Amino acid sequence: YGLVVGLSGTGDKSTSQFTIQSMANMLESMGVKVDRTALKPKNVAAVMVTSKMPVSAQPGARLDVTVSSIGDAPSLLGGVLLMTPLKGVDGNIYALSQGPLAVGGVSAGGEAATATKNVTTVAKIPGGGVVERGVPFAFNNQDDVAIHLSSEDFSTTKQVADTLNKALGGRYA
C-alpha cells in the first residue's frame, strides 16, 4: 500500500477516507500537524504496489514495480510513488519502492465527449524497487529437484532421466 503524489487534479476524491487518513498519517510522521477535515486528496491517490522478486535476488538488486489505483482516481499520469515498503506473504519487508510512474494509457475529455486508450489507473516503475533482504534459499541443500518439461511425453522424459543418471553415475532420476 502506498501513496502517489503530484497528480494534476486526477487523484482520489474527498470521499476516499483511507486516502485522507494515509495523507494525515504520513504528514504527522514527518512532524506536520494537520487538520484531517481540511485535506483534499485531488492530487494524491492511494495505490497497491506489487512486484515479482526472483528467489536469487540479492540486496541492492532492482525490481520492476506495478502500481495500481485502489481509490477512485481516474488517472495516475504524472504521479510519483512515495517510498513504499514491499512485503512478502510472511509480512516481512523485502524491498522498497519509489519513483515516477510510467502510465501506458491516455485519457482526454471535453464537454461533449471523452476518449480513453488503454488503462490510466495502472502504471509501472521500471527498476523502481530495491531489494533490501534476500529470500533465504540454498539450492545445494535440497533433497529433491523437480524438472518440468515443456514437451511432456514419455520418450523425452526417458531421455532426460537417462542423461541425468549417466551424468551422475547412478540411478537417481
mmCIF file with all atom_site columns, all heavy atoms in Angstrom, residues 30-58:
data_model
loop_
_atom_site.group_PDB
_atom_site.id
_atom_site.type_symbol
_atom_site.label_atom_id
_atom_site.label_alt_id
_atom_site.label_comp_id
_atom_site.label_asym_id
_atom_site.label_entity_id
_atom_site.label_seq_id
_atom_site.pdbx_PDB_ins_code
_atom_site.Cartn_x
_atom_site.Cartn_y
_atom_site.Cartn_z
_atom_site.occupancy
_atom_site.B_iso_or_equiv
_atom_site.pdbx_formal_charge
_atom_site.auth_seq_id
_atom_site.auth_comp_id
_atom_site.auth_asym_id
_atom_site.auth_atom_id
_atom_site.pdbx_PDB_model_num
ATOM 1   N N   . MET A 1 30 ? 5.985   12.966  9.753   1.00 0.00 ? 30 MET A N   1
ATOM 2   C CA  . MET A 1 30 ? 7.059   13.897  9.376   1.00 0.00 ? 30 MET A CA  1
ATOM 3   C C   . MET A 1 30 ? 7.070   15.132  10.273  1.00 0.00 ? 30 MET A C   1
ATOM 4   O O   . MET A 1 30 ? 7.807   16.080  10.013  1.00 0.00 ? 30 MET A O   1
ATOM 5   C CB  . MET A 1 30 ? 6.897   14.316  7.910   1.00 0.00 ? 30 MET A CB  1
ATOM 6   C CG  . MET A 1 30 ? 7.101   13.202  6.942   1.00 0.00 ? 30 MET A CG  1
ATOM 7   S SD  . MET A 1 30 ? 6.841   13.809  5.273   1.00 0.00 ? 30 MET A SD  1
ATOM 8   C CE  . MET A 1 30 ? 7.236   12.365  4.332   1.00 0.00 ? 30 MET A CE  1
ATOM 9   N N   . GLY A 1 31 ? 6.201   15.136  11.276  1.00 0.00 ? 31 GLY A N   1
ATOM 10  C CA  . GLY A 1 31 ? 6.171   16.261  12.216  1.00 0.00 ? 31 GLY A CA  1
ATOM 11  C C   . GLY A 1 31 ? 5.274   17.406  11.811  1.00 0.00 ? 31 GLY A C   1
ATOM 12  O O   . GLY A 1 31 ? 5.349   18.486  12.387  1.00 0.00 ? 31 GLY A O   1
ATOM 13  N N   . VAL A 1 32 ? 4.406   17.197  10.824  1.00 0.00 ? 32 VAL A N   1
ATOM 14  C CA  . VAL A 1 32 ? 3.493   18.246  10.369  1.00 0.00 ? 32 VAL A CA  1
ATOM 15  C C   . VAL A 1 32 ? 2.125   17.984  10.975  1.00 0.00 ? 32 VAL A C   1
ATOM 16  O O   . VAL A 1 32 ? 1.517   16.936  10.729  1.00 0.00 ? 32 VAL A O   1
ATOM 17  C CB  . VAL A 1 32 ? 3.391   18.267  8.825   1.00 0.00 ? 32 VAL A CB  1
ATOM 18  C CG1 . VAL A 1 32 ? 2.421   19.338  8.362   1.00 0.00 ? 32 VAL A CG1 1
ATOM 19  C CG2 . VAL A 1 32 ? 4.761   18.452  8.203   1.00 0.00 ? 32 VAL A CG2 1
ATOM 20  N N   . LYS A 1 33 ? 1.626   18.933  11.765  1.00 0.00 ? 33 LYS A N   1
ATOM 21  C CA  . LYS A 1 33 ? 0.307   18.787  12.371  1.00 0.00 ? 33 LYS A CA  1
ATOM 22  C C   . LYS A 1 33 ? -0.733  19.213  11.345  1.00 0.00 ? 33 LYS A C   1
ATOM 23  O O   . LYS A 1 33 ? -0.629  20.294  10.760  1.00 0.00 ? 33 LYS A O   1
ATOM 24  C CB  . LYS A 1 33 ? 0.217   19.647  13.633  1.00 0.00 ? 33 LYS A CB  1
ATOM 25  C CG  . LYS A 1 33 ? -1.054  19.439  14.407  1.00 0.00 ? 33 LYS A CG  1
ATOM 26  C CD  . LYS A 1 33 ? -0.971  20.134  15.756  1.00 0.00 ? 33 LYS A CD  1
ATOM 27  C CE  . LYS A 1 33 ? -2.271  20.083  16.481  1.00 0.00 ? 33 LYS A CE  1
ATOM 28  N NZ  . LYS A 1 33 ? -2.630  18.812  17.026  1.00 0.00 ? 33 LYS A NZ  1
ATOM 29  N N   . VAL A 1 34 ? -1.730  18.356  11.111  1.00 0.00 ? 34 VAL A N   1
ATOM 30  C CA  . VAL A 1 34 ? -2.728  18.637  10.076  1.00 0.00 ? 34 VAL A CA  1
ATOM 31  C C   . VAL A 1 34 ? -4.144  18.482  10.624  1.00 0.00 ? 34 VAL A C   1
ATOM 32  O O   . VAL A 1 34 ? -4.388  17.733  11.570  1.00 0.00 ? 34 VAL A O   1
ATOM 33  C CB  . VAL A 1 34 ? -2.568  17.691  8.861   1.00 0.00 ? 34 VAL A CB  1
ATOM 34  C CG1 . VAL A 1 34 ? -1.258  17.927  8.161   1.00 0.00 ? 34 VAL A CG1 1
ATOM 35  C CG2 . VAL A 1 34 ? -2.693  16.242  9.259   1.00 0.00 ? 34 VAL A CG2 1
ATOM 36  N N   . ASP A 1 35 ? -5.050  19.191  9.992   1.00 0.00 ? 35 ASP A N   1
ATOM 37  C CA  . ASP A 1 35 ? -6.481  19.043  10.258  1.00 0.00 ? 35 ASP A CA  1
ATOM 38  C C   . ASP A 1 35 ? -7.018  18.112  9.171   1.00 0.00 ? 35 ASP A C   1
ATOM 39  O O   . ASP A 1 35 ? -7.077  18.478  7.995   1.00 0.00 ? 35 ASP A O   1
ATOM 40  C CB  . ASP A 1 35 ? -7.163  20.410  10.210  1.00 0.00 ? 35 ASP A CB  1
ATOM 41  C CG  . ASP A 1 35 ? -8.679  20.324  10.367  1.00 0.00 ? 35 ASP A CG  1
ATOM 42  O OD1 . ASP A 1 35 ? -9.179  19.245  10.772  1.00 0.00 ? 35 ASP A OD1 1
ATOM 43  O OD2 . ASP A 1 35 ? -9.344  21.331  10.089  1.00 0.00 ? 35 ASP A OD2 1
ATOM 44  N N   . ARG A 1 36 ? -7.386  16.900  9.551   1.00 0.00 ? 36 ARG A N   1
ATOM 45  C CA  . ARG A 1 36 ? -7.829  15.896  8.570   1.00 0.00 ? 36 ARG A CA  1
ATOM 46  C C   . ARG A 1 36 ? -9.010  16.368  7.736   1.00 0.00 ? 36 ARG A C   1
ATOM 47  O O   . ARG A 1 36 ? -9.157  15.988  6.585   1.00 0.00 ? 36 ARG A O   1
ATOM 48  C CB  . ARG A 1 36 ? -8.167  14.589  9.271   1.00 0.00 ? 36 ARG A CB  1
ATOM 49  C CG  . ARG A 1 36 ? -6.968  13.889  9.835   1.00 0.00 ? 36 ARG A CG  1
ATOM 50  C CD  . ARG A 1 36 ? -7.357  12.669  10.638  1.00 0.00 ? 36 ARG A CD  1
ATOM 51  N NE  . ARG A 1 36 ? -6.207  12.175  11.385  1.00 0.00 ? 36 ARG A NE  1
ATOM 52  C CZ  . ARG A 1 36 ? -5.625  11.020  11.149  1.00 0.00 ? 36 ARG A CZ  1
ATOM 53  N NH1 . ARG A 1 36 ? -6.092  10.215  10.242  1.00 0.00 ? 36 ARG A NH1 1
ATOM 54  N NH2 . ARG A 1 36 ? -4.569  10.653  11.840  1.00 0.00 ? 36 ARG A NH2 1
ATOM 55  N N   . THR A 1 37 ? -9.855  17.180  8.303   1.00 0.00 ? 37 THR A N   1
ATOM 56  C CA  . THR A 1 37 ? -11.036 17.649  7.563   1.00 0.00 ? 37 THR A CA  1
ATOM 57  C C   . THR A 1 37 ? -10.660 18.643  6.469   1.00 0.00 ? 37 THR A C   1
ATOM 58  O O   . THR A 1 37 ? -11.427 18.854  5.534   1.00 0.00 ? 37 THR A O   1
ATOM 59  C CB  . THR A 1 37 ? -12.060 18.284  8.519   1.00 0.00 ? 37 THR A CB  1
ATOM 60  O OG1 . THR A 1 37 ? -11.455 19.403  9.174   1.00 0.00 ? 37 THR A OG1 1
ATOM 61  C CG2 . THR A 1 37 ? -12.544 17.271  9.546   1.00 0.00 ? 37 THR A CG2 1
ATOM 62  N N   . ALA A 1 38 ? -9.479  19.245  6.567   1.00 0.00 ? 38 ALA A N   1
ATOM 63  C CA  . ALA A 1 38 ? -9.060  20.234  5.571   1.00 0.00 ? 38 ALA A CA  1
ATOM 64  C C   . ALA A 1 38 ? -8.286  19.607  4.415   1.00 0.00 ? 38 ALA A C   1
ATOM 65  O O   . ALA A 1 38 ? -8.025  20.280  3.420   1.00 0.00 ? 38 ALA A O   1
ATOM 66  C CB  . ALA A 1 38 ? -8.213  21.316  6.237   1.00 0.00 ? 38 ALA A CB  1
ATOM 67  N N   . LEU A 1 39 ? -7.930  18.333  4.535   1.00 0.00 ? 39 LEU A N   1
ATOM 68  C CA  . LEU A 1 39 ? -7.150  17.689  3.474   1.00 0.00 ? 39 LEU A CA  1
ATOM 69  C C   . LEU A 1 39 ? -8.012  17.384  2.255   1.00 0.00 ? 39 LEU A C   1
ATOM 70  O O   . LEU A 1 39 ? -9.094  16.834  2.374   1.00 0.00 ? 39 LEU A O   1
ATOM 71  C CB  . LEU A 1 39 ? -6.511  16.392  3.990   1.00 0.00 ? 39 LEU A CB  1
ATOM 72  C CG  . LEU A 1 39 ? -5.394  16.560  5.008   1.00 0.00 ? 39 LEU A CG  1
ATOM 73  C CD1 . LEU A 1 39 ? -4.942  15.193  5.512   1.00 0.00 ? 39 LEU A CD1 1
ATOM 74  C CD2 . LEU A 1 39 ? -4.218  17.314  4.423   1.00 0.00 ? 39 LEU A CD2 1
ATOM 75  N N   . LYS A 1 40 ? -7.508  17.729  1.089   1.00 0.00 ? 40 LYS A N   1
ATOM 76  C CA  . LYS A 1 40 ? -8.176  17.445  -0.181  1.00 0.00 ? 40 LYS A CA  1
ATOM 77  C C   . LYS A 1 40 ? -7.240  16.584  -1.016  1.00 0.00 ? 40 LYS A C   1
ATOM 78  O O   . LYS A 1 40 ? -6.180  17.036  -1.435  1.00 0.00 ? 40 LYS A O   1
ATOM 79  C CB  . LYS A 1 40 ? -8.486  18.743  -0.935  1.00 0.00 ? 40 LYS A CB  1
ATOM 80  C CG  . LYS A 1 40 ? -9.301  19.743  -0.143  1.00 0.00 ? 40 LYS A CG  1
ATOM 81  C CD  . LYS A 1 40 ? -10.742 19.317  -0.064  1.00 0.00 ? 40 LYS A CD  1
ATOM 82  C CE  . LYS A 1 40 ? -11.574 20.385  0.593   1.00 0.00 ? 40 LYS A CE  1
ATOM 83  N NZ  . LYS A 1 40 ? -12.075 20.006  1.892   1.00 0.00 ? 40 LYS A NZ  1
ATOM 84  N N   . PRO A 1 41 ? -7.609  15.331  -1.278  1.00 0.00 ? 41 PRO A N   1
ATOM 85  C CA  . PRO A 1 41 ? -6.685  14.420  -1.960  1.00 0.00 ? 41 PRO A CA  1
ATOM 86  C C   . PRO A 1 41 ? -6.681  14.496  -3.480  1.00 0.00 ? 41 PRO A C   1
ATOM 87  O O   . PRO A 1 41 ? -6.243  13.550  -4.132  1.00 0.00 ? 41 PRO A O   1
ATOM 88  C CB  . PRO A 1 41 ? -7.179  13.051  -1.497  1.00 0.00 ? 41 PRO A CB  1
ATOM 89  C CG  . PRO A 1 41 ? -8.637  13.235  -1.321  1.00 0.00 ? 41 PRO A CG  1
ATOM 90  C CD  . PRO A 1 41 ? -8.803  14.648  -0.813  1.00 0.00 ? 41 PRO A CD  1
ATOM 91  N N   . LYS A 1 42 ? -7.113  15.602  -4.073  1.00 0.00 ? 42 LYS A N   1
ATOM 92  C CA  . LYS A 1 42 ? -7.254  15.617  -5.536  1.00 0.00 ? 42 LYS A CA  1
ATOM 93  C C   . LYS A 1 42 ? -5.939  15.430  -6.287  1.00 0.00 ? 42 LYS A C   1
ATOM 94  O O   . LYS A 1 42 ? -5.947  15.075  -7.457  1.00 0.00 ? 42 LYS A O   1
ATOM 95  C CB  . LYS A 1 42 ? -7.949  16.897  -5.988  1.00 0.00 ? 42 LYS A CB  1
ATOM 96  C CG  . LYS A 1 42 ? -7.141  18.157  -5.793  1.00 0.00 ? 42 LYS A CG  1
ATOM 97  C CD  . LYS A 1 42 ? -7.911  19.366  -6.284  1.00 0.00 ? 42 LYS A CD  1
ATOM 98  C CE  . LYS A 1 42 ? -7.056  20.612  -6.178  1.00 0.00 ? 42 LYS A CE  1
ATOM 99  N NZ  . LYS A 1 42 ? -7.742  21.755  -6.736  1.00 0.00 ? 42 LYS A NZ  1
ATOM 100 N N   . ASN A 1 43 ? -4.792  15.655  -5.642  1.00 0.00 ? 43 ASN A N   1
ATOM 101 C CA  . ASN A 1 43 ? -3.503  15.441  -6.283  1.00 0.00 ? 43 ASN A CA  1
ATOM 102 C C   . ASN A 1 43 ? -2.783  14.202  -5.737  1.00 0.00 ? 43 ASN A C   1
ATOM 103 O O   . ASN A 1 43 ? -1.611  14.001  -5.998  1.00 0.00 ? 43 ASN A O   1
ATOM 104 C CB  . ASN A 1 43 ? -2.604  16.669  -6.115  1.00 0.00 ? 43 ASN A CB  1
ATOM 105 C CG  . ASN A 1 43 ? -3.162  17.871  -6.856  1.00 0.00 ? 43 ASN A CG  1
ATOM 106 O OD1 . ASN A 1 43 ? -3.866  17.723  -7.845  1.00 0.00 ? 43 ASN A OD1 1
ATOM 107 N ND2 . ASN A 1 43 ? -2.865  19.052  -6.367  1.00 0.00 ? 43 ASN A ND2 1
ATOM 108 N N   . VAL A 1 44 ? -3.500  13.388  -4.950  1.00 0.00 ? 44 VAL A N   1
ATOM 109 C CA  . VAL A 1 44 ? -2.923  12.199  -4.307  1.00 0.00 ? 44 VAL A CA  1
ATOM 110 C C   . VAL A 1 44 ? -3.841  11.008  -4.572  1.00 0.00 ? 44 VAL A C   1
ATOM 111 O O   . VAL A 1 44 ? -5.059  11.146  -4.573  1.00 0.00 ? 44 VAL A O   1
ATOM 112 C CB  . VAL A 1 44 ? -2.793  12.418  -2.783  1.00 0.00 ? 44 VAL A CB  1
ATOM 113 C CG1 . VAL A 1 44 ? -2.205  11.182  -2.108  1.00 0.00 ? 44 VAL A CG1 1
ATOM 114 C CG2 . VAL A 1 44 ? -1.950  13.648  -2.489  1.00 0.00 ? 44 VAL A CG2 1
ATOM 115 N N   . ALA A 1 45 ? -3.249  9.831   -4.776  1.00 0.00 ? 45 ALA A N   1
ATOM 116 C CA  . ALA A 1 45 ? -4.031  8.610   -4.966  1.00 0.00 ? 45 ALA A CA  1
ATOM 117 C C   . ALA A 1 45 ? -3.472  7.492   -4.093  1.00 0.00 ? 45 ALA A C   1
ATOM 118 O O   . ALA A 1 45 ? -2.256  7.334   -3.975  1.00 0.00 ? 45 ALA A O   1
ATOM 119 C CB  . ALA A 1 45 ? -4.006  8.172   -6.430  1.00 0.00 ? 45 ALA A CB  1
ATOM 120 N N   . ALA A 1 46 ? -4.373  6.729   -3.487  1.00 0.00 ? 46 ALA A N   1
ATOM 121 C CA  . ALA A 1 46 ? -3.978  5.523   -2.755  1.00 0.00 ? 46 ALA A CA  1
ATOM 122 C C   . ALA A 1 46 ? -3.780  4.408   -3.779  1.00 0.00 ? 46 ALA A C   1
ATOM 123 O O   . ALA A 1 46 ? -4.590  4.241   -4.690  1.00 0.00 ? 46 ALA A O   1
ATOM 124 C CB  . ALA A 1 46 ? -5.055  5.136   -1.750  1.00 0.00 ? 46 ALA A CB  1
ATOM 125 N N   . VAL A 1 47 ? -2.695  3.658   -3.628  1.00 0.00 ? 47 VAL A N   1
ATOM 126 C CA  . VAL A 1 47 ? -2.353  2.632   -4.615  1.00 0.00 ? 47 VAL A CA  1
ATOM 127 C C   . VAL A 1 47 ? -1.883  1.352   -3.935  1.00 0.00 ? 47 VAL A C   1
ATOM 128 O O   . VAL A 1 47 ? -1.456  1.357   -2.784  1.00 0.00 ? 47 VAL A O   1
ATOM 129 C CB  . VAL A 1 47 ? -1.248  3.115   -5.583  1.00 0.00 ? 47 VAL A CB  1
ATOM 130 C CG1 . VAL A 1 47 ? -1.744  4.254   -6.458  1.00 0.00 ? 47 VAL A CG1 1
ATOM 131 C CG2 . VAL A 1 47 ? 0.007   3.516   -4.826  1.00 0.00 ? 47 VAL A CG2 1
ATOM 132 N N   . MET A 1 48 ? -1.969  0.254   -4.673  1.00 0.00 ? 48 MET A N   1
ATOM 133 C CA  . MET A 1 48 ? -1.388  -1.015  -4.277  1.00 0.00 ? 48 MET A CA  1
ATOM 134 C C   . MET A 1 48 ? -0.136  -1.190  -5.138  1.00 0.00 ? 48 MET A C   1
ATOM 135 O O   . MET A 1 48 ? -0.181  -0.990  -6.358  1.00 0.00 ? 48 MET A O   1
ATOM 136 C CB  . MET A 1 48 ? -2.371  -2.159  -4.508  1.00 0.00 ? 48 MET A CB  1
ATOM 137 C CG  . MET A 1 48 ? -1.986  -3.428  -3.820  1.00 0.00 ? 48 MET A CG  1
ATOM 138 S SD  . MET A 1 48 ? -1.752  -3.329  -2.040  1.00 0.00 ? 48 MET A SD  1
ATOM 139 C CE  . MET A 1 48 ? -3.334  -2.809  -1.450  1.00 0.00 ? 48 MET A CE  1
ATOM 140 N N   . VAL A 1 49 ? 0.962   -1.554  -4.501  1.00 0.00 ? 49 VAL A N   1
ATOM 141 C CA  . VAL A 1 49 ? 2.243   -1.684  -5.193  1.00 0.00 ? 49 VAL A CA  1
ATOM 142 C C   . VAL A 1 49 ? 2.671   -3.145  -5.144  1.00 0.00 ? 49 VAL A C   1
ATOM 143 O O   . VAL A 1 49 ? 2.716   -3.743  -4.075  1.00 0.00 ? 49 VAL A O   1
ATOM 144 C CB  . VAL A 1 49 ? 3.313   -0.791  -4.523  1.00 0.00 ? 49 VAL A CB  1
ATOM 145 C CG1 . VAL A 1 49 ? 4.624   -0.853  -5.289  1.00 0.00 ? 49 VAL A CG1 1
ATOM 146 C CG2 . VAL A 1 49 ? 2.815   0.649   -4.425  1.00 0.00 ? 49 VAL A CG2 1
ATOM 147 N N   . THR A 1 50 ? 2.960   -3.714  -6.311  1.00 0.00 ? 50 THR A N   1
ATOM 148 C CA  . THR A 1 50 ? 3.339   -5.123  -6.390  1.00 0.00 ? 50 THR A CA  1
ATOM 149 C C   . THR A 1 50 ? 4.589   -5.297  -7.244  1.00 0.00 ? 50 THR A C   1
ATOM 150 O O   . THR A 1 50 ? 4.914   -4.449  -8.080  1.00 0.00 ? 50 THR A O   1
ATOM 151 C CB  . THR A 1 50 ? 2.204   -5.981  -6.988  1.00 0.00 ? 50 THR A CB  1
ATOM 152 O OG1 . THR A 1 50 ? 1.896   -5.491  -8.301  1.00 0.00 ? 50 THR A OG1 1
ATOM 153 C CG2 . THR A 1 50 ? 0.962   -5.940  -6.124  1.00 0.00 ? 50 THR A CG2 1
ATOM 154 N N   . SER A 1 51 ? 5.261   -6.420  -7.010  1.00 0.00 ? 51 SER A N   1
ATOM 155 C CA  . SER A 1 51 ? 6.450   -6.758  -7.785  1.00 0.00 ? 51 SER A CA  1
ATOM 156 C C   . SER A 1 51 ? 6.696   -8.256  -7.658  1.00 0.00 ? 51 SER A C   1
ATOM 157 O O   . SER A 1 51 ? 6.244   -8.882  -6.707  1.00 0.00 ? 51 SER A O   1
ATOM 158 C CB  . SER A 1 51 ? 7.660   -5.983  -7.258  1.00 0.00 ? 51 SER A CB  1
ATOM 159 O OG  . SER A 1 51 ? 8.797   -6.260  -8.036  1.00 0.00 ? 51 SER A OG  1
ATOM 160 N N   . LYS A 1 52 ? 7.415   -8.817  -8.611  1.00 0.00 ? 52 LYS A N   1
ATOM 161 C CA  . LYS A 1 52 ? 7.846   -10.204 -8.530  1.00 0.00 ? 52 LYS A CA  1
ATOM 162 C C   . LYS A 1 52 ? 9.340   -10.199 -8.258  1.00 0.00 ? 52 LYS A C   1
ATOM 163 O O   . LYS A 1 52 ? 10.108  -9.615  -9.016  1.00 0.00 ? 52 LYS A O   1
ATOM 164 C CB  . LYS A 1 52 ? 7.552   -10.952 -9.827  1.00 0.00 ? 52 LYS A CB  1
ATOM 165 C CG  . LYS A 1 52 ? 6.092   -11.217 -10.051 1.00 0.00 ? 52 LYS A CG  1
ATOM 166 C CD  . LYS A 1 52 ? 5.892   -12.068 -11.284 1.00 0.00 ? 52 LYS A CD  1
ATOM 167 C CE  . LYS A 1 52 ? 4.414   -12.361 -11.482 1.00 0.00 ? 52 LYS A CE  1
ATOM 168 N NZ  . LYS A 1 52 ? 4.189   -13.194 -12.667 1.00 0.00 ? 52 LYS A NZ  1
ATOM 169 N N   . MET A 1 53 ? 9.718   -10.861 -7.156  1.00 0.00 ? 53 MET A N   1
ATOM 170 C CA  . MET A 1 53 ? 11.130  -10.911 -6.796  1.00 0.00 ? 53 MET A CA  1
ATOM 171 C C   . MET A 1 53 ? 11.645  -12.328 -7.011  1.00 0.00 ? 53 MET A C   1
ATOM 172 O O   . MET A 1 53 ? 11.135  -13.265 -6.406  1.00 0.00 ? 53 MET A O   1
ATOM 173 C CB  . MET A 1 53 ? 11.316  -10.504 -5.331  1.00 0.00 ? 53 MET A CB  1
ATOM 174 C CG  . MET A 1 53 ? 12.759  -10.403 -4.937  1.00 0.00 ? 53 MET A CG  1
ATOM 175 S SD  . MET A 1 53 ? 12.995  -9.709  -3.300  1.00 0.00 ? 53 MET A SD  1
ATOM 176 C CE  . MET A 1 53 ? 13.137  -11.213 -2.343  1.00 0.00 ? 53 MET A CE  1
ATOM 177 N N   . PRO A 1 54 ? 12.658  -12.495 -7.872  1.00 0.00 ? 54 PRO A N   1
ATOM 178 C CA  . PRO A 1 54 ? 13.210  -13.829 -8.068  1.00 0.00 ? 54 PRO A CA  1
ATOM 179 C C   . PRO A 1 54 ? 13.883  -14.325 -6.788  1.00 0.00 ? 54 PRO A C   1
ATOM 180 O O   . PRO A 1 54 ? 14.385  -13.531 -5.994  1.00 0.00 ? 54 PRO A O   1
ATOM 181 C CB  . PRO A 1 54 ? 14.237  -13.649 -9.184  1.00 0.00 ? 54 PRO A CB  1
ATOM 182 C CG  . PRO A 1 54 ? 14.291  -12.220 -9.511  1.00 0.00 ? 54 PRO A CG  1
ATOM 183 C CD  . PRO A 1 54 ? 13.291  -11.493 -8.682  1.00 0.00 ? 54 PRO A CD  1
ATOM 184 N N   . VAL A 1 55 ? 13.887  -15.623 -6.582  1.00 0.00 ? 55 VAL A N   1
ATOM 185 C CA  . VAL A 1 55 ? 14.469  -16.201 -5.379  1.00 0.00 ? 55 VAL A CA  1
ATOM 186 C C   . VAL A 1 55 ? 15.968  -15.903 -5.297  1.00 0.00 ? 55 VAL A C   1
ATOM 187 O O   . VAL A 1 55 ? 16.538  -15.862 -4.219  1.00 0.00 ? 55 VAL A O   1
ATOM 188 C CB  . VAL A 1 55 ? 14.177  -17.715 -5.304  1.00 0.00 ? 55 VAL A CB  1
ATOM 189 C CG1 . VAL A 1 55 ? 14.988  -18.480 -6.321  1.00 0.00 ? 55 VAL A CG1 1
ATOM 190 C CG2 . VAL A 1 55 ? 14.406  -18.255 -3.921  1.00 0.00 ? 55 VAL A CG2 1
ATOM 191 N N   . SER A 1 56 ? 16.587  -15.637 -6.425  1.00 0.00 ? 56 SER A N   1
ATOM 192 C CA  . SER A 1 56 ? 18.028  -15.377 -6.451  1.00 0.00 ? 56 SER A CA  1
ATOM 193 C C   . SER A 1 56 ? 18.373  -13.908 -6.217  1.00 0.00 ? 56 SER A C   1
ATOM 194 O O   . SER A 1 56 ? 19.553  -13.554 -6.193  1.00 0.00 ? 56 SER A O   1
ATOM 195 C CB  . SER A 1 56 ? 18.605  -15.818 -7.796  1.00 0.00 ? 56 SER A CB  1
ATOM 196 O OG  . SER A 1 56 ? 17.989  -15.094 -8.851  1.00 0.00 ? 56 SER A OG  1
ATOM 197 N N   . ALA A 1 57 ? 17.376  -13.031 -6.027  1.00 0.00 ? 57 ALA A N   1
ATOM 198 C CA  . ALA A 1 57 ? 17.631  -11.598 -5.862  1.00 0.00 ? 57 ALA A CA  1
ATOM 199 C C   . ALA A 1 57 ? 18.394  -11.332 -4.564  1.00 0.00 ? 57 ALA A C   1
ATOM 200 O O   . ALA A 1 57 ? 18.043  -11.843 -3.509  1.00 0.00 ? 57 ALA A O   1
ATOM 201 C CB  . ALA A 1 57 ? 16.326  -10.823 -5.875  1.00 0.00 ? 57 ALA A CB  1
ATOM 202 N N   . GLN A 1 58 ? 19.433  -10.537 -4.679  1.00 0.00 ? 58 GLN A N   1
ATOM 203 C CA  . GLN A 1 58 ? 20.265  -10.171 -3.533  1.00 0.00 ? 58 GLN A CA  1
ATOM 204 C C   . GLN A 1 58 ? 20.025  -8.708  -3.173  1.00 0.00 ? 58 GLN A C   1
ATOM 205 O O   . GLN A 1 58 ? 19.553  -7.931  -4.011  1.00 0.00 ? 58 GLN A O   1
ATOM 206 C CB  . GLN A 1 58 ? 21.743  -10.381 -3.881  1.00 0.00 ? 58 GLN A CB  1
ATOM 207 C CG  . GLN A 1 58 ? 22.108  -11.813 -4.173  1.00 0.00 ? 58 GLN A CG  1
ATOM 208 C CD  . GLN A 1 58 ? 21.887  -12.725 -2.975  1.00 0.00 ? 58 GLN A CD  1
ATOM 209 O OE1 . GLN A 1 58 ? 22.232  -12.383 -1.860  1.00 0.00 ? 58 GLN A OE1 1
ATOM 210 N NE2 . GLN A 1 58 ? 21.287  -13.882 -3.206  1.00 0.00 ? 58 GLN A NE2 1
#
